[in-house]
Amino acid sequence: MALSGLEIYKLLPGSSKNPEVKKHANCKECGFPTCLAFAMKLGQKQAVLAQCPYVEEESKAKLEASAAPPIRLITISANGRKLEVGNETVLFRHEKTFYHEPGLFVRVKDTQADAAEVAKAVGEYMVDYVGMNLTMNGVAVEAAGGDFAATVAAVKSACPLPLVLLVEDPAAAEAGLTAAQGTQSLLWAATPDNWEAMAKLAAQYKVPLAVRAAGGDLDALAALAEQVKGAGVEDIVLDPGVRDYDSSLAAFTQLRRLALKHNERNVGYPIIAFAGDDPVLAGQHIAKYAGFVVLDRFSSGTVYPLLVMRANIFTDPQKPIQVKPGIYEINNPKPGDPLMVTTNFSITYFSVANEIESSGIPGWLLVADAEGMSVLTAWAAGKFDAERIAKSVKTTGVAEKLSHQRIVIPGHVAVLMGELEEELPGWEINVGPREAVDLPNFLKMQWG
Amino acid sequence: MPTIEVPKEKWNGKVREITLGATAAEGGTRAKTVTVGGETTLPFLHFEGEIPRPPAIAIEVQDRKPVDWSPVLLEAWGDVTEDVAAWTKAAAEAGADVILLKFSLHDELSPDYARQVLRHVLDATGLPLIVFGPGQADLDNDVLVAVAEEGKGENFVLGVCEDKNYRTIVAAALAHGHLVNARTAMDVNLAKQLNILISDMGLPLERIVMDPTTGALGYGMEYGYSVMERLRLAALQGDGMTQQPMLVTPGEEAWRAKEARAGEGVPQAWGDWAERAINWETLTASTLVESGADIVVLRHPESVKRVRGMIDVLMSKSGVTS
Ligand code: B12
Ligand code: SF4
């Protein structure tokens, strides 16, 4: 947790009990008139600790620790595909934003004949959502009594994504880590029984290590994290050992609060969650504080909604995602092809553009500057009215590209028709359907 | 060994308790009533406060077979969508706590017609009701005033009650013993303001359900999610005008999305239609339940099952550690 200026001042030479240190008080070498002034600047992150040559070692350690993020950023990677989780600063997204989307992983077992096939599908999966390519983040390979190293190797060559190695036997873990070499995988898990050997492996192979306690025992979890850290592992992930909705919600909420509000360093790490084959539970983990979510089953009809949900929850609430206003040409339109108007809210634009594009019908899509709002929101806020639409028709010069003067408006703003006729004399205003899904049919039936 | 203290927040507010429906003893005809609200902490955090009862699930039925519903939905219900009474019974069997009767827009819709439909539904189930008009201000007023009178004393929820039409609907609720669903467009202050306007007309806060509006997954859900979190935090911090239980309609929103409606001509990466569509509704609903919804209105029976399954576990208090 960040310290206040006054708290920092208590750790600077000006507050020292050691006369050898105290004598430097207010010496100005840091570039500030007093130790207190320097402390204030440090608190505002407008100065760096190294500017004062006289800070005691003990204080230095405290100050550096307080400057570290309350939830450590953990990175895993493979073939240049990287996942970063942690470093979150709030409990609720409206307080600022959530920064690092939790990684979505699919579990395969080393006893499973189609492990590599599943891994391949996971690695290849990509879906477009409002112009963003959403992908899975990796595969969790579980040692279940088969040939772990061979399965890890097969998964690694079938799928370019980072791995999680689910293994508790140190010998198997080492075989898996060897097979995974060249990637930065997450090793799961150190327990009270095997932590020394696992910590050694994690340090040797330079991979993050998950620590697992039983049944939501956060004391045991913190103790284990401390031990593992003492053994030289800095990159730690937490598994409080809970698997159902209720106990995960309680444990993960407590861990997040402990890290952010209680400065509990031993639990200042991302959490790994196991959702089984329940997408609803995975959804809870995404919204409520997991850094890694492991699913037992891969299926497009399930991961697509989950990836969209993750994108929604991790959207910065301060800035709606927008597209640039202007004319968008879809399917190489000719001057006689239809003209439609919409707003520049990404979700709105892409729902309309994707419909037209996939229908194969050529068309001109005029995107009005509605300050990034949906059709009805913008209409209600006065950002998508007849005047604005007319203005974008005129300023973009779309008329010059067309051989007609006809424009389709969204069905939801049918009320604008009359006013728009006044604003655009000589134009024919057509009211389109309410939902974009119905647009291709409308164009086929009504345009011509 | 370090001991970690369970990090609890101290809240001094409480969500109001509101009861839907009335039994014969209470002046209605319902076989049972449903109470929501009463929470003294954030959703399901049993370790720091009271979550006295689970959120309720309402299933939406319409007065006639919907013309614009996804085939995935129509198939799930089968023939019962042809008859509102049969549909109501099927919805009760599918696990509804409450039935939401929504009037659709068509030529026959009139106050008398609405009364008849209401009768059928009241006869078909002993569950409490929510009644929504077709969503056009004038018609809503006509329909809701008529059903309010027809169902006098049943203590059902009348909606949608918005800033432009609240006077008529609140007056009907006052005159005939009902509750209202106060809907505002995803804004904490608008929600508070409408609650104030309605209670200023004399309807007690114990009879106002608050509907902060939701968007579907992928279509603005996150706005509703955060507004609900903020409303609930304000309620727990003691702001009396935000302490109404919250009702949201994830079913209606999710099934408007293309992901739920379109089976053909969509990217292969969208996967199986029914699987994706049901996940769309379920994830929209479950996310809102986790942000404080007290009543969720759903459409697909499988979504009802899944959301119920989740709520059951969340109410089991397995997460209370000593
Ligand atoms: C998310 C949301 C917000 C977000 C804004 C999100 C954004 N960036 O726009 C926030 C919370 C900020 C917000 C604010 C407001 N909102 Co608002 N909001 C919504 C909500 C829930 C979803 C909107 C959305 O994103 N839809 C998804 C997009 C993709 O839909 P769309 O743009 O309409 O596009 C679809 C169709 O129109 C069609 N289409 C689009 N373009 C075209 C073009 C053609 C040619 C055709 C044929 C079709 C077509 O295709 C799309 C997919 O089918 C709706 C309610 C709802 N559930 O719909 C209310 C809603 C739009 N908001 C409303 C209001 C009143 C407001 C506010 C004025 C109130 C307030 N809170 O102060 C403010 C205004 C903003 C301001 N003053 O800054 C009202 C509008 C009421 C009305 N009918 O007038 C609504 C309907 C809620 C309600 N029932 O009261 N809102
Ligand atoms: S360098 Fe600055 S902070 Fe350090 S002792 Fe001198 S005045 Fe104080």
Side-chain angles (χ1 to χ4, degrees):
Chain A
M1 202 178 0
L3 298 178
S4 70
L6 276 179
E7 286 165 330
I8 295 173
Y9 176 66
K10 295 201 180 102
L11 298 166
L12 292 182
S15 317
S16 179
K17 297 206 168 56
N18 177 348
E20 276 308 298
V21 178
K22 177 88 180 176
K23 73 176 185 207
H24 297 287
N26 305 332
C27 70
K28 302 187 177 55
E29 280 182 48
C30 54
F32 295 94
T34 60
C35 295
L36 182 61
F38 179 56
M40 292 301 168
K41 289 290 170 188
L42 272 180
Q44 296 159 9
K45 300 208 173 0
Q46 290 170 5
V48 289
L49 188 58
Q51 284 170 266
C52 169
Y54 307 114
V55 185
E56 290 156 285
E57 282 311 312
E58 199 183 320
S59 304
K60 220 185 233 167
K62 281 190 192 153
L63 287 165
E64 275 162 4
S66 83
I71 298 176
R72 191 174 170 86
L73 187 74
I74 300 293
T75 306
I76 65 173
S77 62
N79 297 305
R81 294 284 288 273
K82 189 163 89 169
L83 171 71
E84 289 183 326
V85 298
N87 218 349
E88 299 299 340
T89 58
V90 291
L91 277 149
F92 303 98
R93 58 189 289 285
H94 66 259
E95 292 174 310
K96 178 115 182 73
T97 185
F98 291 168
Y99 290 97
H100 294 98
E101 297 187 341
L104 284 187
F105 291 77
V106 175
R107 185 204 306 247
V108 298
K109 296 184 177 174
D110 62 2
T111 47
Q112 192 176 328
D114 63 350
E117 247 168 84
V118 173
K120 184 161 183 283
V122 171
E124 283 170 357
Y125 186 79
M126 187 188 284
V127 65
D128 173 275
Y129 168 64
V130 298
M132 303 187 281
N133 286 322
L134 308 183
T135 58
M136 299 292 290
N137 301 92
V139 176
V141 189
E142 177 177 342
D147 187 340
F148 188 54
T151 310
V152 170
V155 165
K156 189 181 137 197
S157 65
C159 168
L161 300 173
L163 305 178
V164 177
L165 304 182
L166 302 175
V167 52
E168 291 187 14
D169 168 41
E174 176 144 34
L177 285 167
T178 313
Q181 243 163 15
T183 71
Q184 167 93 335
S185 304
L186 168 64
L187 180 59
W188 177 101
T191 65
D193 301 326
N194 71 1
W195 69 269
E196 285 180 287
M198 293 300 256
K200 215 161 152 191
L201 285 172
Q204 184 187 338
Y205 286 85
K206 299 194 172 51
V207 293
L209 177 63
V211 294
R212 180 170 68 80
D217 183 344
L218 302 188
D219 280 335
L221 191 68
L224 200 52
E226 196 175 18
Q227 282 172 316
V228 164
K229 186 169 183 214
V233 179
E234 298 274 337
D235 288 333
I236 298 171
V237 170
L238 306 174
D239 176 1
V242 288
R243 298 293 180 260
D244 71 64
Y245 289 96
D246 192 40
S247 41
S248 322
L249 185 65
F252 297 4
T253 303
Q254 290 175 8
L255 288 172
R256 180 82 150 230
R257 285 183 181 174
L258 286 165
L260 295 187
K261 305 182 76 169
H262 298 253
N263 202 18
E264 189 62 67
R265 310 294 313 182
N266 288 327
V267 295
Y269 304 102
I271 299 167
I272 183 168
F274 295 84
D277 62 3
D278 182 359
V280 181
L281 182 54
Q284 175 181 299
H285 293 327
I286 288 170
K288 297 291 176 189
Y289 313 140
F292 301 82
V293 180
V294 181
L295 305 167
D296 282 354
R297 210 169 56 82
F298 175 71
S299 155
S300 305
T302 291
V303 299
Y304 171 45
L306 284 173
L307 288 167
V308 171
M309 187 202 155
R310 181 176 73 173
N312 286 174
I313 296 291
F314 282 76
T315 298
D316 184 343
Q318 260 80 52
K319 8 179 166 105
I321 27 173
Q322 310 190 12
V323 293
K324 239 175 84 195
I327 310 167
Y328 289 76
E329 304 184 5
I330 302 179
N331 300 330
N332 300 313
K334 307 231 162 23
D337 288 325
L339 171 66
M340 292 147 282
V341 63
T342 189
T343 73
N344 68 325
F345 182 35
S346 268
I347 305 180
T348 301
Y349 166 79
F350 281 103
S351 6
V352 180
N354 288 344
E355 272 326 315
I356 309 175
E357 197 178 312
S358 60
S359 72
I361 301 171
W364 306 88
L365 184 56
L366 180 62
V367 175
D369 183 356
E371 298 176 17
M373 288 182 221
S374 82
V375 169
L376 276 179
T377 311
W379 176 76
K383 309 291 182 192
F384 189 62
D385 52 16
E387 203 180 313
R388 285 220 178 196
I389 296 174
K391 190 172 153 218
S392 69
V393 168
K394 289 171 189 158
T395 56
T396 54
V398 69
E400 282 82 76
K401 297 178 183 272
L402 304 175
S403 60
H404 60 82
Q405 293 200 322
R406 203 174 150 193
I407 185 167
V408 183
I409 62 172
H412 279 300
V413 288
V415 292
L416 291 180
M417 181 149 159
E419 280 172 59
L420 198 52
E421 275 169 347
E422 275 171 35
E423 294 279 342
L424 289 173
W427 282 71
E428 180 185 336
I429 315 298
N430 294 169
V431 175
R434 293 158 91 79
E435 304 299 336
V437 217
D438 303 316
L439 190 56
N441 236 345
F442 171 87
L443 292 176
K444 275 181 210 143
M445 310 288 287
Q446 310 281 325
W447 193 272
Chain B
M1 203 197 266
T3 36
I4 281 182
E5 204 179 316
V6 175
K8 294 185 190 171
E9 301 281 335
K10 282 217 173 10
W11 307 110
N12 43 31
K14 177 180 172 183
V15 179
R16 282 199 177 79
E17 300 182 300
I18 294 191
T19 298
L20 281 65
T23 60
E26 295 151 346
T29 62
R30 305 297 78 204
K32 58 178 270 200
T33 61
V34 168
T35 301
V36 292
E39 302 94 323
T40 60
T41 178
L42 291 166
F44 311 106
L45 298 188
H46 303 282
F47 65 85
E48 75 178 6
E50 291 302 315
I51 307 289
R53 51 186 74 85
I57 299 178
I59 297 183
E60 173 180 349
V61 304
Q62 299 203 356
D63 60 309
R64 52 172 65 184
K65 184 174 176 172
V67 286
D68 57 350
W69 276 26
S70 167
V72 174
L73 268 177
L74 292 175
E75 210 169 281
W77 288 111
D79 291 342
V80 299
T81 55
E82 310 276 354
D83 171 36
V84 70
W87 194 353
T88 301
K89 286 195 180 114
E93 268 161 39
D97 299 309
V98 178
I99 300 292
L100 182 140
L101 167 63
K102 157 105 179 165
F103 285 94
S104 49
L105 199 57
H106 51 77
D107 294 344
E108 273 169 68
L109 185 59
S110 68
D112 280 342
Y113 168 93
R115 286 172 195 265
Q116 273 177 30
V117 170
L118 180 75
R119 274 282 134 234
H120 290 314
V121 172
L122 285 171
D123 290 344
T125 183
L127 297 178
L129 302 188
I130 301 168
V131 185
F132 276 12
Q136 283 205 350
D138 291 352
L139 275 171
D140 274 6
N141 288 347
D142 290 353
V143 166
L144 292 171
V145 169
V147 295
E149 193 189 26
E150 185 69 29
K152 194 171 175 61
E154 293 288 6
N155 201 32
F156 50 62
V157 182
L158 293 172
V160 173
C161 182
E162 296 176 272
D163 65 345
K164 51 181 188 271
N165 69 351
Y166 76 94
R167 291 178 169 280
T168 313
I169 296 177
V170 172
L174 271 170
H176 305 295
H178 300 297
L179 320 170
V180 298
N181 180 49
R183 178 178 289 178
T184 46
M186 295 189 170
D187 185 284
V188 172
N189 292 321
L190 291 180
K192 284 174 67 167
Q193 198 185 342
L194 186 57
N195 293 339
I196 294 170
L197 289 172
I198 292 174
S199 58
D200 281 353
M201 279 185 69
L203 193 70
L205 287 164
E206 284 65 33
R207 282 164 65 184
I208 306 172
V209 174
M210 156 170 93
D211 177 349
T213 305
T214 180
L217 176 61
Y219 297 85
M221 176 189 77
E222 69 275 24
Y223 293 94
Y225 176 79
S226 284
V227 167
M228 287 169 69
E229 286 197 330
R230 289 171 55 201
L231 280 166
R232 185 50 50 87
L233 285 165
L236 295 174
Q237 282 154 5
D239 179 344
M241 283 299 156
T242 57
Q243 289 170 341
Q244 308 315 116
M246 293 190 274
L247 176 153
V248 279
T249 53
E252 177 181 354
E253 289 303 324
W255 288 98
R256 265 175 51 190
K258 178 174 184 185
E259 281 80 356
R261 284 181 56 190
E264 279 163 34
V266 302
Q268 209 193 337
W270 284 18
D272 179 76
W273 184 12
E275 179 190 358
R276 172 213 325 145
I278 292 168
N279 275 326
W280 218 261
E281 179 178 31
T282 313
L283 277 175
T284 308
S286 60
T287 308
L288 300 176
V289 164
E290 308 248 16
S291 64
D294 294 284
I295 304 175
V296 283
V297 186
L298 301 178
R299 283 187 172 174
H300 196 289
E302 176 64 23
S303 309
V304 172
K305 221 158 99 190
R306 294 194 199 170
V307 174
R308 174 79 66 206
M310 160 201 177
I311 290 173
D312 283 349
V313 181
L314 282 168
M315 290 302 293
S316 69
K317 305 197 182 184
S318 60
V320 181
T321 40
S322 50

